[in-house]
Amino acid sequence: MTGGADGNRTSHAASSDTGIGRTKRTVSALLVVSCISTAAALAQDEAAPGAFTEAQAAAGRADYATYCAACHAADLMGVAGAPPLAGEAFLARWGARTIGELVTYTGLTMPPADAGGLSDDEYAAVTAYTLQRNAAQPGGTPLTAASSIEIASVAAVPPADAAAAADADIPLGVTVAGRVENYEPITAAELRNPDPADWPMIRRDYGASNYSPLDQINRANIDRLELAWVYSMTDRDGRDQPAPMAYNGVVFVNNPPNVMQALDGRTGELIWETRISGPLNYHPMRGSALYDDKLYVATTEAHLLALDAATGEIVWEAVLGDREDGGFTASSGPIVADGKVLQGMGTCQQYREEKCFIGAFDAATGEELWRFETVARDGLPGGDTWNGLPDIFRAGGDVWITGSYDPELNLAFFGVAQAKPWMRASRQTGDGDALYTTSTLAIDVATGELAWYFQHAPGETVDLDEVFERVLIDDAGQKFVVTIGKPGIIWKLDRETGQYVDHAETMFQNVFTSIDPETGQPEYREDIVGHRVGNWVQICPGLSGGHNWPAMGFHKPMRRLVIPLMQACNELLPLDVPLEPGLTTVGAGWRAYELPGSNGNLGRLAAFDLGSLEEVWSYEQRVPFMSSALTTAGGLVFIGDLDRSLKAFDVETGDVLWRTRLGTAVQGFPISYAIDGRQYVAVPTGWGAGAQLFYVSAILEEPLRVPEAGSALYVFALEE
Amino acid sequence: MAPVALFLAAAFFGAAAQDTQTYEVRLAAAPRDSAMREFVAGSGSAEVTLAGTELTVTGRFEGLKSAATQANIHLAPVTGVRGPAVYELEVSTASAGTISGVFELSDETLARLDAGHLYIQIDSDSAPEGNLWGWLLRTDR
């Protein structure tokens, strides 16, 4: 089945710097700028005046928009692996170095698609603009690559960060006090077997099914679905991919940046709100977790907190990692298993001694109980798979999706992202497997020891993560873990042993020439593993996947996997990445294009039979789906897209039975719950979904207008 | 593709060589990043007909940011990957216009066509490495 492009299109850019969401903050931003300018001016008094000219900065503004903004973002805060060029992170890396070094480095490495391709004047101008955005003041001396001025002597925290700092005036902790009346602590037994009315964790259950057993809303009455209530979430810069939970009539939802709210699930009334410190760093908060009397949440700067679920008060706070060499992020959200809070980490691409890990923390106290590093160090098991690289240069292995848990086996299952830099030629790992990247890990929850691993793409080399949801399914007497990664390949493994069972390609792919039917071992296309720095490599699907964070739903009665897919390709340019401690880079340039044979349909939702893995139905549309697929016992699949549409599909046929349009992109993790016998469907909207939006903006001929404001939770129910 | 598979595809195609096969080709932007939208843009379509061993191409395009300079059929090592130009098409040297051409294909090229390894590419002044491209893919599979 093929659907046409939905929705209206305008000529406005999708991620315009002057979008609605930013406009409403202009007044406050100006006030902040005026306050900060004094401090910045004071800072300049001690510095050499005028490290660049006003004309250079003006020219650099235009050059930046043309060559840099696509990766580093209009506000210089960086997206898709490109580091921020403003604020504390920028100054931490470059503050002690000279302006000349920055010009030289930029000239050698940027823009990724054409490193060294700009003129000397253009590199100087871009650098001048970067410094200006970091509160440096222009003067009469032109900036050149010979400048020996230390960056920290002329630059300071820029207005954007100053605005965030000003927002720090907003009280942290419990900002709206309230109490969930008669809150009943949720037990381990309830987490193992949730009440049909509840949705107590991301993807609802330990098996990550995304399936609700509620059937009041069904194929026969879906046309009577109407809005019950809507609650606006905090509209702030940051990626918004929330995974709300519902327990005992209360909806718990996270907002960027690091805000948790409890809402009355029947009325949408706010019960309590807690704001947790942490930067706006374009990393979303996806999941949170409930256990006993606490709610667990990980922040964008990889702090893990326990809140009192009834009041939102902070009970304990732990920091993931020692932070000696910089920061980490956490976007996945925790899962509670066997009394432990399990949490993975992100932003692992920095060359540093400390590696990313999956950590277990005591649910009652926050004490760290164990950690499993996702990058194998030299001398440890798997440590000989990194081509002899010193440990400090073994990077990547992010765990940016919440894991799953099998209580009977007491095993937790996590996906691990790719090694960094993305491409072998850049990261210098040769043909090494680079364990434990691009793998499924089964970890003993009691000890933190690795029970088994299955590496889906040894030595992965084109940014095709296999990090996403691990769905635990028992079928025909076997225990399976099912997953799908960016290559768009469904993997079925025996979750007791890690043995490969089966796979299926869901879309055209040209990355692997074959996959061994006995072992699941893929064979890369020859020119992919033979790539060299400076030569473009084309891959389908591309960096957005295939499949990405919008999780599949497993419709249990029909034994169907309903999977959001994206049909786009990329060509990648491996860069020469120096082995320099502290360096943070993915080390590749990219361009995007439509998947051949997709007829320009970037979005696709398809259902596959669990047993045969054969496609049952498929629905295509111009814009990508941006939410997980919520399946229900009512025979429905709910899913939203970038163009603000929320649709309900018939899980049996793939027919669209109902649709509506919401305020902005429908993204995050829709859920269903019930209160006093009435079923609700809660759907988040928000902005800044990451890879999909980023690559779509390069492909679509008519850019979508996706409002940057409009983060909200829409809740639907049948008319009363 | 393995040599055996190529041989089988060629053999199959030889048997069906007298049939007419039509390819509807969507011409969309060649690989680009967001910044390249300023000079890599446009759209188009082409109808490609294979009668026996004769391939006929007719198409149109519009919306280029600069004048088209050349159009070719390219032979890729695999679908979705760039490859060298092998047949030159007639093209309007403007930001909108038509493409056309008639070619006699060898057995080997017929097999590659059947495998989805041929694509049309239009270059322009501002996008000499590809402005629009589209793949010749069978839709009956």
Side-chain angles (χ1 to χ4, degrees):
Chain A
M1 178 183 297
T2 300
D6 288 286
N8 300 320
R9 289 174 181 76
T10 73
S11 59
H12 299 284
S15 55
S16 165
D17 196 23
T18 55
I20 294 171
R22 295 179 193 279
T23 304
K24 76 176 193 141
R25 289 191 292 278
T26 301
V27 173
S28 59
L30 285 173
L31 290 173
V32 170
V33 168
S34 72
C35 296
I36 268 305
S37 60
T38 304
L42 289 174
Q44 308 316 313
D45 287 343
E46 301 173 3
F52 56 90
T53 67
E54 184 72 48
Q56 280 184 307
R61 178 186 177 92
D63 291 336
Y64 181 88
T66 301
Y67 301 111
C68 315
C71 296
H72 293 280
D75 61 1
L76 285 77
M77 296 311 291
V79 291
L85 298 179
E88 292 180 1
F90 171 74
L91 290 173
R93 181 173 175 212
W94 284 98
R97 301 164 81 169
T98 68
I99 291 173
E101 285 181 90
L102 179 57
V103 175
T104 301
Y105 180 84
T106 306
L108 288 174
T109 60
M110 296 290 137
D114 187 23
L118 308 188
S119 68
D120 291 346
D121 287 346
E122 287 174 314
Y123 284 118
V126 166
T127 305
Y129 175 64
T130 301
L131 294 174
Q132 187 181 52
R133 291 293 298 266
N134 282 276
Q137 301 299 308
T141 304
L143 182 155
T144 72
S147 173
S148 60
I149 297 173
E150 184 181 89
I151 289 173
S153 72
V154 296
V157 176
D161 268 16
D167 285 345
D169 292 340
I170 298 171
L172 298 176
V174 176
T175 47
V176 176
R179 171 174 288 278
V180 177
E181 296 299 334
N182 304 316
Y183 182 84
E184 293 286 339
I186 187 167
T187 66
E190 287 175 300
L191 290 178
R192 290 177 67 158
N193 186 22
D195 188 295
D198 291 335
W199 192 286
M201 67 185 78
I202 185 171
R203 302 170 309 219
R204 189 173 183 272
D205 49 45
Y206 277 146
S209 72
N210 261 326
Y211 171 76
S212 169
L214 300 173
D215 62 0
Q216 183 180 74
I217 302 167
N218 55 50
R219 287 177 286 194
N221 61 22
I222 184 70
D223 58 324
R224 291 173 42 217
L225 198 65
E226 64 178 20
L227 185 67
W229 55 266
V230 59
Y231 191 86
S232 293
M233 300 194 290
T234 48
D235 268 329
R236 291 283 306 269
D237 287 343
R239 291 178 179 171
D240 205 359
Q241 303 165 19
M245 300 182 294
Y247 174 61
N248 211 14
V250 177
V251 172
F252 300 93
V253 63
N254 46 319
N255 298 207
N258 304 320
V259 180
M260 284 300 309
Q261 293 171 324
L263 302 165
D264 184 315
R266 188 196 320 263
T267 65
E269 198 71 28
L270 180 65
I271 300 172
W272 58 253
E273 176 185 270
T274 298
R275 291 175 179 263
I276 306 162
S277 64
L280 283 166
N281 60 9
Y282 285 88
H283 289 273
M285 298 166 71
R286 292 190 187 87
S288 48
L290 288 169
Y291 174 57
D292 196 17
D293 58 352
K294 297 182 183 64
L295 183 154
Y296 302 92
V297 59
T299 69
T300 53
E301 56 180 347
H303 287 210
L304 184 65
L305 293 96
L307 311 183
D308 183 318
T311 65
E313 292 172 353
I314 296 173
V315 179
W316 57 255
E317 180 171 1
V319 180
L320 277 74
D322 296 329
R323 309 303 178 90
E324 292 181 359
D325 302 323
F328 290 109
T329 60
S331 62
S332 60
I335 184 171
V336 180
D338 193 28
K340 303 175 182 68
V341 187
L342 310 183
Q343 177 64 47
M345 302 163 74
T347 310
C348 309
Q349 63 265 39
Q350 186 180 8
Y351 287 152
R352 57 193 297 175
E353 292 294 345
E354 188 175 17
K355 302 305 170 193
C356 281
F357 58 84
I358 298 163
F361 298 81
D362 185 291
T365 66
E367 177 191 359
E368 184 178 321
L369 302 175
W370 53 254
R371 63 172 67 179
F372 179 86
E373 290 187 339
T374 54
V375 164
R377 294 177 185 267
D378 189 31
L380 293 177
D384 58 351
T385 62
W386 285 81
N387 198 33
L389 275 178
D391 286 345
I392 192 172
F393 300 120
R394 304 179 180 199
D398 307 54
V399 176
W400 56 280
I401 296 294
T402 306
S404 305
Y405 175 56
D406 183 331
E408 293 182 3
L409 300 175
N410 204 26
L411 293 178
F413 301 89
F414 285 90
V416 183
Q418 74 288 73
K420 309 285 191 333
W422 285 342
M423 304 184 77
R424 294 181 187 184
S426 302
R427 67 173 183 255
Q428 303 180 37
T429 53
D431 58 0
D433 291 349
L435 287 172
Y436 295 93
T437 61
T438 327
S439 298
T440 296
L441 304 183
I443 297 177
D444 185 327
V445 173
T447 64
E449 292 178 355
L450 184 65
W452 57 259
Y453 73 92
F454 178 87
Q455 193 170 35
H456 301 269
E460 200 287 321
T461 186
V462 281
D463 182 33
L464 294 184
D465 287 45
E466 294 278 359
V467 72
F468 309 109
E469 68 277 13
R470 265 57 186 171
V471 184
L472 311 185
I473 301 172
D474 294 348
D475 187 52
Q478 270 193 285
K479 293 176 178 290
F480 297 115
V481 52
V482 176
T483 189
I484 177 172
K486 286 185 180 178
I489 297 170
I490 303 172
W491 299 93
K492 187 191 281 187
L493 308 175
D494 183 319
R495 73 172 183 270
E496 292 185 278
T497 65
Q499 290 295 305
Y500 164 84
V501 176
D502 199 1
H503 79 275
E505 298 180 18
T506 63
M507 63 175 61
F508 167 74
Q509 67 86 16
N510 63 17
V511 176
F512 303 120
T513 55
S514 65
I515 297 175
D516 188 306
E518 299 298 322
T519 66
Q521 180 82 12
E523 192 73 32
Y524 270 108
R525 208 177 74 215
E526 194 171 329
D527 65 301
I528 288 180
V529 289
H531 69 265
R532 296 184 177 189
V533 167
N535 291 341
W536 287 97
V537 177
Q538 294 82 39
I539 56 164
C540 298
L543 312 182
S544 62
H547 180 68
N548 209 293
W549 63 265
M552 74 172 89
F554 174 55
H555 192 267
K556 296 181 178 179
M558 300 194 71
R559 319 298 285 170
R560 286 185 180 175
L561 305 164
V562 185
I563 307 178
L565 300 167
M566 183 161 160
Q567 303 183 129
C569 303
N570 283 97
E571 61 179 1
L572 294 173
L573 182 69
L575 302 177
D576 186 12
V577 177
L579 294 177
E580 176 185 322
L583 187 66
T584 300
T585 181
V586 295
W590 62 267
R591 298 167 180 162
Y593 55 100
E594 296 175 357
L595 186 91
S598 66
N599 197 30
N601 289 310
L602 299 178
R604 183 165 154 237
L605 182 70
F608 299 85
D609 177 78
L610 173 67
S612 66
L613 298 184
E614 290 181 356
E615 181 180 296
V616 181
W617 54 259
S618 176
Y619 178 92
E620 294 179 308
Q621 61 179 34
R622 181 65 168 148
V623 298
F625 291 103
M626 301 300 289
S627 82
S628 60
L630 160 64
T631 63
T632 75
L636 298 169
V637 182
F638 291 90
I639 190 167
D641 67 33
L642 182 62
D643 202 26
R644 304 188 287 118
S645 286
L646 171 65
K647 296 186 176 79
F649 291 82
D650 185 326
V651 73
E652 183 173 5
T653 65
D655 292 336
V656 177
L657 302 180
W658 177 88
R659 71 178 73 197
T660 189
R661 295 191 87 197
L662 306 180
T664 188
V666 183
Q667 61 186 38
F669 295 76
I671 68 170
S672 189
Y673 62 92
I675 303 173
D676 293 337
R678 190 181 193 205
Q679 183 184 357
Y680 299 85
V681 172
V683 180
T685 58
W687 185 82
Q692 297 92 328
L693 179 63
F694 198 48
Y695 301 127
V696 165
S697 68
I699 293 175
L700 287 183
E701 205 56 41
E702 321 85 25
L704 295 173
R705 179 175 181 175
V706 184
E708 294 182 29
S711 294
L713 189 67
Y714 290 78
V715 178
F716 298 88
L718 295 179
E719 60 186 4
E720 290 188 295
Chain B
M1 176 178 287
V4 173
L6 272 176
F7 173 79
L8 291 174
F12 163 80
F13 208 89
Q18 299 310 309
D19 295 339
T20 296
Q21 180 74 41
T22 300
Y23 300 83
E24 299 290 340
V25 180
R26 170 188 171 85
L27 297 174
R32 66 181 180 184
D33 59 31
S34 297
M36 292 169 67
R37 299 175 60 90
E38 296 300 316
F39 50 92
V40 181
S43 61
S45 63
E47 182 172 292
V48 180
T49 303
L50 179 69
T53 58
E54 185 177 88
L55 192 76
T56 303
V57 179
T58 58
R60 58 166 189 82
F61 62 93
E62 62 185 4
L64 274 55
K65 297 292 187 182
S66 62
T69 54
Q70 61 174 331
N72 296 280
I73 293 177
H74 291 242
L75 183 59
V78 63
T79 307
V81 173
R82 292 180 188 265
V86 290
Y87 299 111
E88 184 175 357
L89 295 161
E90 297 288 328
V91 60
S92 309
T93 52
S95 60
T98 61
I99 56 173
S100 61
V102 179
F103 311 99
E104 192 71 18
L105 303 190
S106 66
D107 284 349
E108 181 181 351
T109 308
L110 286 169
R112 300 289 294 276
L113 169 65
D114 192 56
H117 295 177
L118 269 58
Y119 66 95
I120 294 170
Q121 179 173 306
I122 300 173
D123 301 338
S124 67
D125 276 325
S126 59
E129 296 179 351
N131 192 318
L132 297 177
W133 72 351
W135 292 83
L136 280 60
L137 300 174
R138 292 184 65 160
T139 58
D140 57 345
R141 293 172 173 163

